[in-house]
Amino acid sequence: INQNLNIFEPPVVEYLSNIDRDLHLKKSLNAIDSIKDMNVLFIGETIIDEYQYAKPMGKSAKENIISSAHVGREVFAGGVIAAANHVADFVKKVDIITILGEREPYLNLVNDTLRDNVNINTLWRSGMPTIRKCRYVDPGHMKKMFEVYHFDDTPLFGKIEDQLSEMIHDRANNYDLVIVTDFGHGMFTQKSIDHLQTNSKFLAVNAQSNSANLGYNLITKYKKSDFICIDAPEARLAMSDRYTDLGDLIESKLSKSISCKNFIVTHGERGCVTWSEKLGANNVPAFTSQVVDTVGAGDALLSVTSPIVAAGNDIDIAGFIGNTVGALKVGIVGHRKSVEKIPVQKYLTTLLK
């Protein structure tokens, strides 16, 4: 079917025609198998992702606004919780260090969301809510209209900053891999970053740029890492470079600014660019154009590719598997479910046969 029906976009067809499919499939399945006994530690902010479904009706008679009818609501445990769940089916054990707000903890939601082999270690911010991002969504085509943040992004200080740093110092070295999901809402200070860089056997990092922190949460705050996974705007913003080819940007600038030998820079519908000191740059196309919801796709890719790179697999294989994970994730609304191992293996097999 793959050979005789035009089921893939031209970039995917070209990519698949230039690789040894049998070898690529063997390497990919072996890479997934290589991480099954890993113990992984996630550190990052918990974010409650709320979807308020509202059907637009028309312009208000008395105001220059569009009136909408409320038709439903879903609330998901996102951020580091969703990221950890995505890799749980691939590895032996996952632990989380995160922060919740005492004022609006959402602890039952978080605990109910965790997969069986995922454990959470919680620090509490007094007088503050757990970060919640409320998106108003047109349910007809899952189009997001606007969002409202409920949060306090004051950087950690004092006792709770010391507690986080001590937890990282005491525990990071006990895991095969530490994955940092830094959403830029005040959890990571220089003190905790220093402990991460010093005490992790293998450190994987994402530092997200979003509407709340644009320009203030650059990946360059991490001076040393073993694997970095960010998107193209985040890479360009960090290097103050809007036009250089992404592969060249990683090799000539990012890898010179941060001591890191492995990068994946995601590029939306264009897939991703992988780079390692060993193999240089490689482009991997996106494997689907059928997008339901992009929320959390980058986190899912980070979660699964990090242990694959940590296990010593080639970065281009990691990027290939990562785009498969991304293709599955963009078909899921919010965090209704997590990416799982068997569907990824089946997707890879279908793609490469």
Side-chain angles (χ1 to χ4, degrees):
I1 293 172
N2 289 356
Q3 293 172 359
N4 293 284
L5 296 180
N6 187 23
I7 62 173
F8 298 127
E9 296 293 323
V12 179
V13 174
E14 181 180 358
Y15 178 84
L16 294 176
S17 67
N18 289 326
I19 62 173
D20 183 330
R21 294 192 185 193
D22 291 335
L23 180 61
H24 224 64
L25 179 59
K26 181 179 179 180
K27 284 185 175 181
S28 298
L29 296 179
N30 286 343
I32 292 173
D33 190 60
S34 71
I35 66 175
K36 64 183 179 183
D37 294 322
M38 277 193 171
N39 293 319
V40 180
L41 176 63
F42 276 81
I43 306 176
E45 293 109 334
T46 294
I47 296 173
I48 304 303
D49 285 309
E50 179 179 357
Y51 282 27
Q52 290 280 0
Y53 296 110
K55 184 178 180 181
M57 297 184 297
K59 180 184 175 298
S60 169
K62 298 180 179 180
E63 305 284 350
N64 286 320
I65 57 175
I66 300 298
S67 299
S68 300
H70 185 263
V71 295
R73 173 177 179 261
E74 284 187 280
V75 183
F76 310 105
V80 72
I81 305 299
N85 280 337
H86 285 308
V87 79
D89 197 40
F90 294 80
V91 300
K92 182 179 180 181
K93 179 185 176 184
V94 181
D95 286 346
I96 300 171
I97 296 175
T98 191
I99 291 179
L100 300 179
E102 288 185 345
R103 184 152 54 87
E104 296 176 17
Y106 287 89
L107 186 58
N108 289 338
L109 173 65
V110 169
N111 286 333
D112 290 344
T113 300
L114 295 174
R115 298 185 66 122
D116 291 342
N117 61 334
V118 180
N119 302 297
I120 188 170
N121 302 276
T122 304
L123 294 171
W124 296 91
R125 297 198 77 173
S126 61
M128 295 184 183
T130 299
I131 299 165
R132 177 164 56 97
K133 299 181 179 180
C134 180
R135 297 173 176 88
Y136 288 81
V137 184
D138 178 353
H141 296 90
M142 287 302 299
K143 298 297 184 184
K144 300 174 185 70
M145 296 179 284
F146 65 95
E147 67 180 331
V148 178
Y149 281 35
H150 302 260
F151 75 134
D152 186 327
D153 61 353
T154 305
L156 294 187
F157 63 93
K159 182 179 179 181
I160 191 169
E161 181 188 21
D162 292 339
Q163 288 175 330
L164 175 60
S165 297
E166 288 169 10
M167 290 179 77
I168 294 170
H169 179 271
D170 294 341
R171 304 184 188 191
N173 195 50
N174 298 329
Y175 297 85
D176 301 301
L177 163 68
V178 176
I179 301 177
V180 172
T181 57
D182 183 350
F183 296 100
H185 299 318
M187 181 174 178
F188 295 96
T189 62
Q190 192 59 53
K191 190 172 184 178
S192 58
I193 290 172
D194 288 343
H195 283 291
L196 283 165
Q197 294 175 149
T198 303
N199 296 290
S200 303
K201 291 179 181 177
F202 189 99
L203 179 62
V205 180
N206 170 267
Q208 185 188 92
S209 292
N210 53 52
S211 56
N213 66 35
L214 193 62
Y216 295 98
N217 194 51
L218 303 179
I219 191 63
T220 47
K221 67 196 270 191
Y222 297 87
K223 300 302 180 185
K224 183 175 68 172
S225 180
D226 298 291
F227 173 52
I228 286 172
C229 181
I230 54 178
D231 67 23
E234 289 160 353
R236 294 193 181 283
L237 189 62
M239 295 295 100
S240 300
D241 188 325
R242 298 170 66 183
Y243 300 112
T244 299
D245 173 79
L246 277 177
D248 293 339
L249 181 75
I250 300 169
E251 182 158 4
S252 63
K253 294 189 176 183
L254 263 177
S255 64
K256 301 293 189 296
S257 300
I258 306 168
S259 178
C260 182
K261 296 181 180 180
N262 302 283
F263 290 84
I264 292 181
V265 176
T266 60
H267 207 193
E269 62 184 13
R270 300 182 188 179
C272 70
V273 178
T274 66
W275 182 92
S276 70
E277 194 173 65
K278 174 185 174 183
L279 298 175
N282 183 43
N283 292 284
V284 184
F287 297 136
T288 184
S289 58
Q290 305 300 313
V291 177
V292 176
D293 190 358
T294 61
V295 167
D299 299 331
L301 188 149
L302 165 75
S303 299
V304 178
T305 56
S306 294
I308 286 171
V309 176
N313 297 285
D314 289 344
I315 192 71
D316 57 339
I317 294 297
F320 184 77
I321 296 170
N323 277 7
T324 301
V325 170
L328 291 170
K329 176 60 190 76
V330 297
I332 300 169
V333 173
H335 309 296
R336 284 180 183 171
K337 60 181 181 178
S338 305
V339 174
E340 296 181 337
K341 182 176 180 177
I342 291 177
V344 170
Q345 291 172 321
K346 288 182 176 180
Y347 198 115
L348 288 167
T349 302
T350 301
L351 193 64
L352 291 169
K353 282 294 184 182

